[in-house]
């Protein structure tokens, strides 16, 4: 078994997400930190995100860290665990909604397409697209 980072690198299917991890300087977190549950979009899933949007995320350090931390949940939550969970708190501090639907397990209405890649410091689940944290809304007085 390898770390989350090494598992993603070895897979060859997560180059775009790994590029974002590298741009944010989060390699150590996913190598030695944890345990974590990572909901990770593969290259095909990120291929549908407009390049301009990915570049905008990459170029804004705070937004990049927020987006990546939104994909990471403290603790190890296997697919069996997810069947009994309704919300998970991400490292960003925002909740991810988990639900069971006809198409399987959904995280924020995004299907989990592959599950339970066990790692030395957690577990990975591939999701159908990039999970974006809720946008802070201005408070009106």
């Amino acid at each position: 078994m390898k770390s989350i980072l090494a598992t993603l690198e070895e897979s060859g299917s997560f180059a775009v997400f790994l590029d974002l991890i590298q741009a944010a300087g989060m390699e150590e977190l996913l190598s030695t930190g944890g345990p974590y549950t990572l909901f990770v979009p593969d290259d095909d899933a990120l291929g549908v995100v407009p390049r301009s949007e990915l570049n905008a995320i990459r170029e804004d350090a705070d937004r990049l860290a927020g987006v990546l931390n939104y994909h990471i949940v403290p603790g190890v939550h296997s697919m069996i665990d997810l069947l009994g969970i309704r919300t998970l708190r991400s490292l960003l501090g925002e909740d991810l909604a988990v639900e069971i639907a006809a198409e399987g397990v959904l995280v924020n209405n995004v299907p989990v397409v592959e599950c339970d890649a066990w790692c030395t410091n957690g577990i990975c689940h591939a999701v159908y697209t990039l999970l974006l944290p809720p946008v802070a809304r201005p408070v009106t007085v």
Side-chain angles (χ1 to χ4, degrees):
M1 218 176 346
K2 296 180 167 66
S3 72
I4 292 172
L5 186 69
T7 299
L8 296 178
E9 290 171 343
E10 189 175 274
S11 163
S13 298
F14 300 97
V16 177
F17 195 82
L18 283 166
D19 178 57
L20 296 175
I21 291 290
Q22 194 170 36
M26 293 175 64
E27 300 97 332
E28 186 173 338
L29 178 80
L30 295 180
S31 292
T32 60
Y36 297 122
T37 298
L38 175 66
F39 295 99
V40 57
D42 66 15
D43 292 340
D44 289 340
L46 288 174
V48 299
V49 177
R51 183 66 44 199
S52 60
E53 177 69 12
L54 282 177
N55 288 339
I57 291 169
R58 184 182 291 109
E59 292 168 8
D60 181 336
D62 290 337
R63 185 171 179 209
L64 176 60
V67 168
L68 294 174
N69 282 316
Y70 194 56
H71 287 79
I72 305 168
V73 173
V76 176
H77 304 283
S78 70
M79 183 55 72
I80 294 295
D81 298 329
L82 293 178
L83 295 175
I85 295 173
R86 294 295 154 247
T87 59
L88 292 166
R89 176 71 40 108
S90 70
L91 285 185
L92 182 61
E94 296 287 341
D95 287 343
L96 298 168
V98 180
E99 71 178 285
I100 312 307
E103 55 268 44
V105 173
L106 306 177
V107 177
N108 285 4
N109 295 315
V110 174
V112 174
V113 293
E114 289 184 42
C115 63
D116 291 353
W118 293 93
C119 306
T120 56
N121 61 331
I123 193 167
C124 298
H125 304 294
V127 292
Y128 187 69
T129 193
L130 190 66
L131 303 174
L132 295 174
V135 177
R137 291 176 189 84
V139 178
T140 53
V141 180

